[in-house]
Each structure stands twice: as C-alpha cells, then as structure tokens.
Amino acid sequence: MDKILEAVVMSSYPNNVKQGLVRRVIEAAKQPMDSEQCWSMLELSTKLYLTGDTKYKREIGKEVLEVYGHYHPEEFEEFFNVRFLLSLLQEGYGPLGKRSHYVLDYIQLGLQFVLESPSANSIFSLLRIEVLRKVCERPSPKQCAKISKLLIQHPQCIPTGKHQVLFCQQLIRCIGQFQCVSEGEEDIMEFLEQVNKVSGLLQRIWRTQTSAILPSLKELFTIISSTEEQETPSNALASVVQFVPLELMDGVIRNLTNDDSITDVQMMTAIGRMIDWVSWPLGKNIDKWIIALLKGLAAVKKFSILIEVTLSKIEKVFSKLLYPIVREGALSVLQYMLLSFQHSHEAFHLLLPHIPRLVASLKKEDSNSAASSLEQLAELIHCMFFRFSGFPDLYEPVLEAVKALPVPNEDRIKHLLGQNAWTSQKNELACFYPRLASKSETGKIGLINLGNTCYMNSIIQSLFMASDFRHSVLNLTEGNSQPLMTKLQWLFAFLEHSQRPAISPESFLSASWPPWFTPGAQQDCSEYLKYLLDRLHEEEKTGKRIYQKLKESSLMSQAVEHHYLNKTLIEKMFGGKMMTKIRCLKCLNVSSREEAFTDLSLAFPPPDRHVRGSTSVLPVEEIGPQFIEPPENPSQLTGSPWIPRKAPMARGPTAQPMPVETLGFQEPGEVAQPLSGNAIGVDAAKDPLSAFGEQPCAPKDSRSVPDLINYFLSPERLTAENKYHCEKCASLQDAEKVAELTEGPHYLILTLLRFSFDPRTMKRKKILDNVSIPVVLKLPILVTPDETEEVCRRRKDRAAAGGGFMSVMYDLCSVVVHSGISSESGHYYCYSRECTETIPHGQPRDGATKPSSDKQLDFEIQWYLFNDTRVSFSSFESVSNVTSFFPKDTAYVLFYRQRPSRQSCLMHEALSEAGHLHREPSLHKDLMEAISKDNILYLQEQEKEARNRAAYISALPKSPLWWRDFDRDKDDDNSSGGCSPAAGGGGSGSFHGLVF
C-alpha cells in the first residue's frame, strides 16, 4: 500500500485526481493490517511530511500519520519512540545540508497519540532536555515560535526546576537576537506573531512558577545593559516586559537602582534601550516600566543618567506620536520626560522645530486618538511655556500651532510640574545647568541661574549693556576700597572676556543679596536693583571716590565742578532730581522740596482715567515721526507756570509746560507725518520699523510709557482726608501737588508698578496690561535760570535767561520682562542693546549743525535677548510684540540712555574723559590673570567633558534616525494603513520603520 501511495503522490495526475486515489488508500488504512505494512506507511508519511517539496505532499503525510496514530496506536507508539525522536532532534531528517525545518511540527503532531502510552514520560524527559538545548543554540524566530507552540500545547515538555529558570533566561536571549529581515508587511506581521508566541510561553511559565520571574528579568537587564554586544538587542524584548506582573514593579526597580554592581554606563545603556521599546506595537505596560525606572533613578539622584538619556532619546519618543498604534505609550513617556526635566529648557527646546509639523499631522488625521493626543500635547506645551518662559522668538511658531487648543489653568500646570519633578530640592540640580558647547553666536555670555536668580541675572545683563556704566566700572583702579563695586568689576570683566558660554555669578550674588530675601525663592528684580544701586552709592559715598581726573578739568565752572565732584558713579550714571511742589489752592502759596532718584516708579492710571484726554498741567501729546531739535535758543524753553519769572514772557503765566513725547507712536487713526528735512535719516523702504508712524500702535484702551510718565507728573488734588496743612494759612486746605523733573539722569530707569495688593484675595496681583514702549522718549526737564545762563554763557549766547522746560531725548537700551502672574513666582529675562552716541563725540561746539545723517536714530543697533545662560539675537519688533504673543510676559523695568544734546555735551565730554567711556577698558593685572587662568581651565574642562561624553554616547544604544519618521510623514501624504501617521493605515515601509 505504501508503494501505491508513493506512486500516486509522485505521479503527474492533477491534484483532484490524486486526492481521490489518496482517499481510498487512507480509508483502507483504517482497516486492520500487519505491523510491517504499518511501519512502511508510517515511514512514507514521515518522509512526505518532513521532506515533501510541496505543501500538498506535506498535507498527505500529515493525514496518513493522523490515521495511523488513531487506528493503529500500538504500531504508532512503537514507531514514535525516544530513540527516533532523539535522532530527529539532534541529527535532523533528510540529506545533509537539507535538514527538515518541520521536525518540531512533526513531534507536536505525533505527541497527541502517545500521551497515554508507557513511553510518554520518557519522551517528555527527552523533550525537556532537547528544547533547552535548542534555545541555547539561538534558533530563528520561526523555530522559537514552533518550540513555544509545542510547549504551550504540551506543558509536560517544559523544563523543570533549575532547568526551567535557565530555559526562561535562554529564551529571553533568543528574543534579544530576533531580527525581521524583510520589510514586507506580511512578513512583519508573521514576525510579530512569532514573537508573541514566544513571549506567551514565558507568560505561561511565570504564571505557574513565579520564582522564575526575577531571574528572567535579571537576564533581561543583563542583555539590555551590556556595552559589549556587537548588535543592539532586539526591540522584541519589549514583549517580555508586558507580562511581568505590575505588583512586582516597585521591588524590581528598587533592586535595580540600588545595585552598586551596576555602573552608570550600564544603567544608561539599559534605560536608553528600554525607551526605544516605545516603538514596539504589541507591548502593554511598557510605558509604565520605563517611567518607573526613570522615577527610580531620580529617587537615588542619578541625575546625570537621566539628563543624558532624556536629551538623546526625547526626539525619537516624540516622533512616535505620529503612529496611532504606539501613540498612547509614547505620549505617556514623553509627558514624564518633559515634566520631570525641569532644571533646564534643553529637552523641550529640542522638540520645538518638530511640534508644528506634528500638530498639523494630528489635525489632518482627524481621529479620536489624534484629538485626545493633541489636547494632552497642548497641555504639556503650556506647562513648558510656564516653566521655561523667556524665549518668545522660539515659542511663537509653536504658540501659533496650538493656539486653537485648550489652555490649562495655572493650578493644573503647577500640579503637573509639582508631581513630576525629579526632586523638590532645587540645589541638588544646581550643577546640571544647560550644557553649552561654545559661546553664543552673538559673542555675548550668559549667566547661570543659581536657583530662581533670574531676577539678578536680568538686572546684571541690563547694567552690563549700559556701556557707559560698564566702561566706568571696568576702568576702576585696583585697591579702590569698594568691595561690592570690585566684585561687579570682576563680574563685568568675565562677561566681557571669558571664553565660557555662561559664567556663575555666585560670588556677586552672595555679596549683593539683600538680607531679607529668602534663599532659593523668586524675588522682585526692581527691588534688587534699587538695593544694589543704593549699596554701590553708599559704598562710594563714604569717601572712596573715582574719576579723580575730573578735578583737573577746566571745562566747567567752579560751581558745576564742585557739584559734579560730589557725585558718586551711581549718581552720575543713574541719578536724577525731581522737584515736588504743593500749591495751596486758597492762598496760592507754593512749597517745594527737591529729591534725588535713581529710578521712577510709574503707577498705572485708574481704568476710568483716560490720560490722553487729560487737561492736566502736563497733557499727553504723542507725536508722529519727526525729529524735534533741542532748542537752539534758551529763550525757546517752555515756561513753567509755577516758577517766578525774572521778566514777563510773551506766553504769559498760563503757558503749559512741555509734555512727555515719544518718537515712534501715533494716535490710532492719525496719519503719520512724512519725514521732513529735519526728520531722522532712516530709509523707511529699507526697514519697516524705520518709518516711526508704521510701528504697531497700542489699542485705544491700552497704555504707553508716556501715558504712565505723564500720569506720574500730572497734578494730584489733595482734598478731604488728604488736605494739605498750609503754613501760610496755618490750616488744612485743598491743594495741588505736582512733580517736576529738574535733572535728567544719564540712564533713566523706569519701573512699571505692575504688582498691586488685592484686598479681596489678600495677595499681590499683577497688572497684565500691555504697555507700548517707545524706542525714543522725549522727557521734559525743568531748567533753572542759573543753568540756562550757564548754557548761554558757554554758547556765547545771552539772548535770554529764565527758567523753563527743556526737551531731553532718551533712547531705549534695555527692557526687563517678567513672565508670570505673581511677583513671588514667574521668570525674568531681558532685551538689551548697546546705545552709542547718536551725535558724534567730536561735535563742533560752535552750534553749527551737522547734516541730518549724523543725528539718526540708529534702528540698526542689534538687540539681544538674555535669558540666564542663553543669549540670542533679537529685534525691537520682538520687544514690542512679546506681550501680544505671551500675555503673561510684560515689560517691567526699562532702561533709557540720555542722548547727548548741545546743552549737555560739555558735561558729557568731561564725564567721558574722566571715565574713559569711549576707550577700551584697561583691566588691572590680577583681573586679567584670573580671566586668563579661567579660560585655560575652561578649555581643559571641555577636553575632559568631551572624552567623558564620548564614552557615554558610545554606550547609548544605536537606533534608527528619528527624523525619518517626520520625513516619511512629509513625503508620503497619501499613505494608508493602521500604523501610518494618517488614521487609516500606512505603507509597509513606514510600518517597518516604526517597529525597527
């Protein structure tokens, strides 16, 4: 019968004809027959099953085996013996070089007919040994899947005792070497099914033998932490973790993170490879294990590992949000990585270029998964905006991309940031400031944030960019007996000459820190600035003078020289004077008091007060783009109605003083005046900001800096409970109080009083009103008759003498921005530029007018954005629009530099000569040596860090380039399939890129 069957199978008849003949043979086999005939048929069917070159032949072999196993059990058991199986497993079947791949399938088929036989136990014992040997030989995924299928169907064949633990470990090693060699979708799906079968076997073993779990996980960690592997372990290992009971997670993580035998490089390698598992499409709970290990490392303060891994892997995790099948897990890991990385903006900023593209892709997908992910992503982005404010130039495209998505409230943001931070002790991360490989392309140097010290950093950078002040400080002589000023000199010198991308202001902070400030807490930068300037002023005032050469100057009268010699550097640079006058409305008696100031604190007018329409003593008048020269003749000075005249003036005592004016603003709806012959010589066609009238105007209900100054200078009526006690009337009377500026500072500091006490909440609240900032400000300064006469005498022009207001021009040079809604929180950063002379230093003193090109307002002066360690190029447009894009980012402290006029040029020249303002500062020897040594030390540190970093990076697992995911999304908009960026699918290529 075996000959007949073989002849039929090997014949050239059609398969349907063969099938009829085979059926007859099989039916005949169900009848009793002798043992020899059974053996012949079993040998033939085994040959067909194991070596058949077609699926049809193997199917015939299978059917015959099943019939004989069922109807001739004794002969089958005798044939299917231990020796035969051992030969199959160890030597294979068929000619050498063509061994059958179906041996395991054959054994699984035959086992069902010998389960009750006396030889069954012997067969099981043999298979327990042989399957262990097989997995130690690292079979292919297909063979591993067959072993797993066999053992799942016949668990009696699973190794027991110590061999069982070893079997699990070796099976995990097999999975670690699995690779899918094909990129076809069908092949990939088959590969995933094979991996699932193998990991399913581990799950079955672990369920019945929990003692095998921990040794298995230890082996898994050994594989993924190895730095000696030639090939990266397969991401298929992710399928192993999903079956580990979550209740074991805490103990496993605790043991790993506290194991001293595991080096940092091994741990970093392991967690890096685990993070790659987010791309495994069949994994469950993988994100939970990754996050648990990250939290475990934070608990034992392994911050360097966390930082390195986060920065190297976060972009790849982010790219997996394109794929619906792995999106949920990838988003969970991304959320933890970003929310925990709170010491630096580096991780978030790596994602900024890719966020708009991902958001657009998710919107296009239009699925529930995409919509949910968009909302979570937007919440995450706003948390990062809140934590790392001060980067408006970088954030604008991202803000534009997510503007239509919900914005979380501040309590929600604080909750998310608070529960995910690596540590509540900020000083533990102080040494992990953002790594900057080299100086900013701007050439400027940043300042390291020492724990909520951005308030100081922004003030220091603003003072440093005040070039006249900086030069004066740098030119201080050694041994000047001013310890705080000396520390400032050293800090400025390092900011000027250091090779580091950022320096630590720790020494200056400890010296200038107000004693009532709470360490590590956010502070008011304006309060710090006032304290700092006062300390510097008092320190010099005690007798430690600078600018001794000013005594030798013959450019001033004795009175002026005496007045100027008594000034400290702070007074010279930032000091101004203000006259406060109170006029009794009954007797019209005026009392006055002159006060010095280093900054003007500008309150916001009440909402119902429209400053522009005021008819106060100082009405607001914002002018168009015209250049108003300081008066050629002092007789042109606008008179003050409260100053007694030496001689009657044509305008009479009711003449109004000069208002605060700006260049660069116009009333909404007002047509900008064309640039005239005296206009600022900037070609509007070249620069849209150059035509001042084209600058964006504030809405009618918003404020401008001139509004606030005019409100500050406008008369205040003292009535009711605030009545004034008039000495002349000897009683309380209604009165009017007004402030007038009598001396304009070289640098005008304006503080916008944005923080007010709210009696309802009993807290300080922030006024978030947008305030328009003019790049040029005209300030009315009250000039006394003596000062007017001095100017006239120097100009040999005594045409008139008398008091009045003189217009003084100021150029904006720094803006300190507060980001947040409370003075006790938030972040500070600043915009700055170096304002230089707009009138050349060698201006003729005879009053001759230079061509207008010498009086240009230089809008081309480069603006910089200083945000702690980061320094970048910026623009006045960014300064003007920052609050429009980021409502919580508002201008707080402004620095203006006085533009030298003909009336002030003599004093300015004397100051320049005394302070060497226009020369390169010459640092003393000790300071130059300290900078030189630190620069050498920095280079050595760079070399050492480069070597260490190279070792760290080489230990990180190599993975496919993350940006290919984005490129694929961009180039293949019409792809379809369940794993593509679009909702319904994706090509096989994209699927392969996802998994591998």
Side-chain angles (χ1 to χ4, degrees):
M1 188 178 295
D2 59 302
K3 300 298 183 183
I4 297 173
L5 179 61
E6 186 174 11
V8 171
V9 171
M10 299 300 177
S11 69
S12 59
Y13 294 129
N15 283 347
N16 59 339
V17 175
K18 290 182 184 180
Q19 191 64 33
L21 297 172
V22 169
R23 281 286 156 217
R24 293 182 183 179
V25 173
I26 290 176
E27 287 299 322
K30 295 178 181 179
Q31 303 303 319
M33 63 178 61
D34 59 53
S35 178
E36 184 179 350
Q37 183 63 46
C38 285
W39 270 76
S40 297
M41 288 298 289
L42 287 170
E43 285 179 345
L44 175 61
S45 59
T46 298
K47 179 182 177 182
L48 289 173
Y49 188 88
L50 293 176
T51 62
D53 55 0
T54 65
K55 185 178 180 180
Y56 174 74
K57 291 178 182 178
R58 293 193 297 274
E59 287 293 332
I60 296 299
K62 179 183 177 183
E63 285 188 52
V64 174
L65 282 170
E66 288 175 337
V67 168
Y68 277 85
H70 186 73
Y71 290 98
H72 306 282
E74 293 180 2
E75 286 79 5
F76 188 90
E77 181 183 345
E78 187 179 352
F79 178 82
F80 199 79
N81 59 66
V82 172
R83 183 176 296 176
F84 174 60
L85 295 181
L86 181 62
S87 174
L88 283 178
L89 290 167
Q90 292 190 353
E91 299 174 12
Y93 189 92
L96 190 64
K98 292 186 179 180
R99 299 300 188 191
S100 174
H101 298 294
Y102 300 99
V103 170
L104 292 170
D105 305 89
Y106 176 83
I107 293 174
Q108 182 179 343
L109 175 64
L111 274 178
Q112 61 184 310
F113 302 111
V114 297
L115 294 177
E116 304 299 330
S117 69
S119 63
N121 288 333
S122 299
I123 294 175
F124 295 153
S125 296
L126 170 68
L127 290 176
R128 282 194 287 267
I129 296 172
E130 284 301 306
V131 293
L132 176 57
R133 183 183 62 79
K134 279 283 185 184
V135 297
C136 288
E137 294 175 353
R138 305 289 181 264
S140 66
K142 189 173 185 179
Q143 290 300 307
C144 266
K146 289 182 178 181
I147 293 174
S148 301
K149 183 179 178 182
L150 170 65
L151 298 184
I152 290 173
Q153 186 171 343
H154 302 289
Q156 307 96 318
C157 303
I158 297 174
T160 57
K162 293 181 179 179
H163 287 171
Q164 187 177 83
V165 172
L166 180 60
F167 177 77
C168 291
Q169 292 174 328
Q170 293 302 317
L171 199 59
I172 289 172
R173 284 206 169 268
C174 286
I175 298 174
Q177 294 188 357
F178 284 178
Q179 298 296 336
C180 184
V181 295
S182 173
E183 293 191 6
E185 188 164 343
E186 289 185 4
D187 293 330
I188 292 174
M189 294 303 296
E190 183 182 2
F191 173 76
L192 293 175
E193 186 179 352
Q194 292 163 357
V195 174
N196 228 22
K197 284 181 180 177
V198 179
S199 58
L201 173 61
L202 284 170
Q203 180 190 25
R204 184 184 182 95
I205 295 174
W206 289 347
R207 278 179 180 172
T208 58
Q209 196 68 35
T210 55
S211 61
I213 297 178
L214 292 181
S216 300
L217 291 181
K218 186 175 181 180
E219 189 70 18
L220 173 64
F221 186 81
T222 301
I223 295 170
I224 63 175
S225 64
S226 174
T227 58
E228 299 175 358
E229 296 286 343
Q230 295 296 321
E231 292 186 5
T232 302
S234 171
N235 280 349
L237 288 169
S239 64
V240 176
V241 176
Q242 64 181 328
F243 295 122
V244 180
L246 292 179
E247 55 265 24
L248 297 179
M249 181 183 289
D250 290 342
V252 170
I253 298 299
R254 190 163 50 250
N255 288 339
L256 282 178
T257 54
N258 288 281
D259 189 341
D260 293 335
S261 66
I262 301 174
T263 66
D264 285 358
V265 172
Q266 288 175 322
M267 183 62 76
M268 185 174 65
T269 304
I271 186 62
R273 286 169 174 163
M274 284 183 68
I275 290 173
D276 287 343
W277 293 350
V278 297
S279 62
W280 186 254
L282 301 178
K284 297 177 182 177
N285 298 327
I286 294 173
D287 56 323
K288 294 181 175 64
W289 280 94
I290 294 171
I291 293 170
L293 184 52
L294 292 172
K295 288 182 175 179
L297 291 171
V300 295
K301 299 182 176 25
K302 296 283 188 179
F303 301 128
S304 58
I305 297 176
L306 291 167
I307 290 169
E308 202 69 53
V309 168
T310 301
L311 294 179
S312 63
K313 293 294 182 181
I314 195 166
E315 289 174 285
K316 183 175 182 182
V317 173
F318 182 81
S319 71
K320 299 310 170 188
L321 299 182
L322 290 167
Y323 304 97
I325 198 170
V326 298
R327 183 176 292 151
E328 183 179 355
L331 185 56
S332 295
V333 175
L334 179 72
Q335 284 174 323
Y336 179 76
M337 292 175 84
L338 276 181
L339 291 172
S340 63
F341 203 93
Q342 293 187 28
H343 72 287
S344 161
H345 56 259
E346 286 178 283
F348 178 52
H349 285 192
L350 286 174
L351 305 181
L352 293 180
H354 317 301
I355 291 176
R357 213 147 128 204
L358 176 69
V359 170
S361 178
L362 293 177
K363 287 180 178 178
K364 182 180 177 182
E365 183 179 314
D366 193 25
S367 67
N368 291 335
S369 167
S372 173
S373 298
L374 273 174
E375 290 191 6
Q376 294 179 68
L377 184 62
E379 182 178 71
L380 190 58
I381 289 169
H382 283 289
C383 285
M384 295 297 99
F385 284 167
F386 181 87
R387 180 65 187 87
F388 304 116
S389 54
F391 301 92
D393 49 339
L394 295 179
Y395 292 170
E396 284 180 16
V398 177
L399 190 67
E400 182 68 21
V402 301
K403 65 181 180 181
L405 298 171
V407 179
N409 59 45
E410 188 168 339
D411 289 340
R412 170 66 176 166
I413 290 174
K414 288 180 177 178
H415 171 71
L416 289 172
L417 292 171
Q419 70 176 9
N420 288 285
W422 285 338
T423 173
S424 59
Q425 304 300 317
K426 295 179 181 177
N427 60 329
E428 292 180 343
L429 288 165
C431 59
F432 296 106
Y433 61 89
R435 290 186 314 247
L436 300 169
S438 59
K439 259 190 183 180
S440 160
E441 61 180 352
T442 63
K444 304 296 182 183
I445 297 175
L447 290 169
I448 296 169
N449 192 316
L450 301 172
N452 278 331
T453 57
C454 54
Y455 67 91
M456 178 188 73
N457 290 350
S458 57
I459 291 300
I460 294 300
Q461 294 286 18
S462 297
L463 293 175
F464 178 80
M465 292 297 284
S467 54
D468 297 341
F469 178 65
R470 178 178 76 244
H471 289 163
S472 296
V473 171
L474 291 175
N475 276 307
L476 285 174
T477 57
E478 191 176 6
N480 54 65
S481 301
Q482 300 177 64
L484 184 58
M485 185 69 82
T486 299
K487 285 187 179 293
L488 183 62
Q489 182 189 42
W490 278 62
L491 183 57
F492 278 6
F494 272 82
L495 285 173
E496 185 93 18
H497 299 289
S498 177
Q499 293 300 314
R500 295 181 182 272
I503 60 175
S504 171
E506 186 173 5
S507 175
F508 188 77
L509 172 65
S510 61
S512 63
W513 187 66
W516 61 88
F517 277 14
T518 303
Q522 185 61 279
Q523 306 295 342
D524 188 326
C525 76
S526 173
E527 185 179 2
Y528 173 77
L529 174 60
K530 288 182 175 72
Y531 176 79
L532 175 61
L533 295 182
D534 186 60
R535 278 276 308 276
L536 293 171
H537 166 70
E538 291 297 328
E539 189 178 76
E540 183 181 354
K541 191 178 177 182
T542 57
K544 306 160 188 66
R545 304 291 186 185
I546 58 173
Y547 298 138
Q548 292 300 317
K549 290 185 180 180
L550 196 60
K551 292 180 179 179
E552 303 168 5
S553 172
S554 60
L555 297 175
M556 302 182 187
S557 67
Q558 291 297 320
V560 174
E561 179 180 350
H562 178 73
H563 170 75
Y564 208 72
L565 275 173
N566 287 332
K567 286 190 172 186
T568 64
L569 176 60
I570 299 303
E571 288 177 308
K572 294 170 188 174
M573 290 295 170
F574 305 103
K577 289 187 178 179
M578 178 171 55
M579 184 76 73
T580 302
K581 300 179 181 179
I582 301 179
R583 179 172 59 180
C584 175
L585 295 181
K586 181 179 181 181
C587 67
L588 300 182
N589 180 57
V590 177
S591 64
S592 61
R593 183 180 77 256
E594 191 174 50
E595 298 174 300
F597 68 88
T598 53
D599 81 312
L600 296 180
S601 298
L602 306 180
F604 283 70
D608 57 346
R609 174 158 182 173
H610 301 287
V611 179
R612 285 190 176 92
S614 171
T615 56
S616 64
V617 175
L618 288 175
V620 172
E621 179 188 352
E622 292 193 1
I623 62 175
Q626 60 186 23
F627 186 90
I628 299 182
E629 289 283 351
E632 291 289 334
N633 191 322
S635 63
Q636 297 174 1
L637 297 173
T638 309
S640 170
W642 288 7
I643 297 179
R645 301 287 192 272
K646 289 186 177 179
M649 297 184 69
R651 284 176 294 238
T654 59
Q656 295 295 314
M658 186 175 296
V660 175
E661 299 172 343
T662 73
L663 295 183
F665 285 89
Q666 64 185 57
E667 281 291 313
E670 179 180 318
V671 179
Q673 300 180 25
L675 295 174
S676 62
N678 288 332
I680 304 156
V682 180
D683 188 349
K686 295 179 182 177
D687 185 353
L689 286 177
S690 61
F692 303 130
E694 296 299 320
Q695 294 184 31
C697 295
K700 280 186 179 291
D701 58 351
S702 71
R703 305 293 187 185
S704 68
V705 169
D707 289 341
L708 303 190
I709 296 177
N710 281 340
Y711 178 61
F712 176 82
L713 297 176
S714 63
E716 176 187 359
R717 188 63 66 93
L718 303 177
T719 60
E721 295 180 357
N722 294 325
K723 282 189 176 184
Y724 166 68
H725 185 273
C726 176
E727 294 182 359
K728 189 172 182 180
C729 298
S731 61
L732 292 174
Q733 297 292 337
D734 289 347
E736 197 170 54
K737 177 182 176 182
V738 70
E740 294 176 339
L741 301 178
T742 58
E743 183 179 322
H746 186 64
Y747 283 100
L748 173 66
I749 300 175
L750 303 176
T751 300
L752 311 187
L753 297 179
R754 290 191 173 274
F755 301 109
S756 60
F757 183 76
D758 188 347
R760 292 177 301 171
T761 61
M762 301 301 289
K763 293 181 179 178
R764 292 180 73 196
K765 67 177 183 179
K766 181 178 178 181
I767 300 171
L768 294 172
D769 295 5
N770 192 3
V771 176
S772 303
I773 305 171
V775 71
V776 180
L777 185 68
K778 290 183 67 178
L779 205 62
I781 303 297
L782 184 64
V783 181
T784 64
D786 292 340
E787 290 172 322
T788 306
E789 186 176 346
E790 173 67 21
V791 173
C792 292
R793 185 178 65 80
R794 287 295 175 187
R795 291 173 46 80
K796 299 180 181 179
D797 183 1
R798 294 183 174 85
F805 282 91
M806 179 179 71
S807 176
V808 177
M809 307 283 284
Y810 280 89
D811 296 311
L812 181 67
C813 54
S814 286
V815 178
V816 178
V817 176
H818 177 264
S819 176
I821 60 172
S822 167
S823 61
E824 289 81 25
S825 62
H827 180 63
Y828 289 99
Y829 56 95
C830 74
Y831 292 93
S832 289
R833 64 172 181 164
E834 290 201 55
C835 289
T836 54
E837 302 295 351
T838 53
I839 295 180
H841 190 59
Q843 181 80 25
R845 298 179 189 175
D846 58 1
T849 304
K850 284 265 186 176
S852 62
S853 61
D854 287 338
K855 305 184 186 68
Q856 296 178 0
L857 283 179
D858 192 356
F859 270 80
E860 296 179 1
I861 296 177
Q862 181 63 58
W863 282 90
Y864 301 95
L865 175 56
F866 294 90
N867 188 354
D868 290 334
T869 55
R870 182 179 183 268
V871 187
S872 58
F873 290 115
S874 191
S875 65
F876 181 67
E877 183 179 12
S878 180
V879 179
S880 304
N881 295 334
V882 63
T883 307
S884 301
F885 283 100
F886 303 93
K888 295 178 183 178
D889 291 27
T890 52
Y892 185 37
V893 179
L894 314 177
F895 287 72
Y896 280 88
R897 179 182 183 274
Q898 185 179 142
R899 182 181 300 180
S901 61
R902 294 184 180 86
Q903 287 84 349
S904 64
C905 64
L906 299 179
M907 286 189 183
H908 186 76
E909 285 180 6
L911 177 62
S912 299
E913 290 181 14
H916 309 286
L917 298 187
H918 303 287
R919 306 178 195 173
E920 187 64 28
S922 177
L923 304 181
H924 57 78
K925 183 180 178 182
D926 288 350
L927 185 48
M928 286 303 297
E929 286 181 355
I931 294 172
S932 179
K933 287 180 180 178
D934 185 69
N935 286 340
I936 294 172
L937 177 62
Y938 170 66
L939 294 176
Q940 293 171 344
E941 290 172 356
Q942 288 292 93
E943 292 175 3
K944 182 179 179 181
E945 182 181 349
R947 288 194 297 269
N948 294 340
R949 188 164 169 72
Y952 260 53
I953 294 300
S954 64
L956 284 173
K958 304 298 186 295
S959 55
L961 300 178
W962 56 266
W963 58 80
R964 287 179 181 167
D965 295 308
F966 289 105
D967 292 339
R968 185 179 301 113
D969 179 46
K970 176 181 67 175
D971 299 333
D972 189 16
D973 291 336
N974 298 320
S975 60
S976 61
C979 300
S980 78
S988 60
S990 64
F991 187 74
H992 186 272
L994 163 66
V995 182
F996 313 107

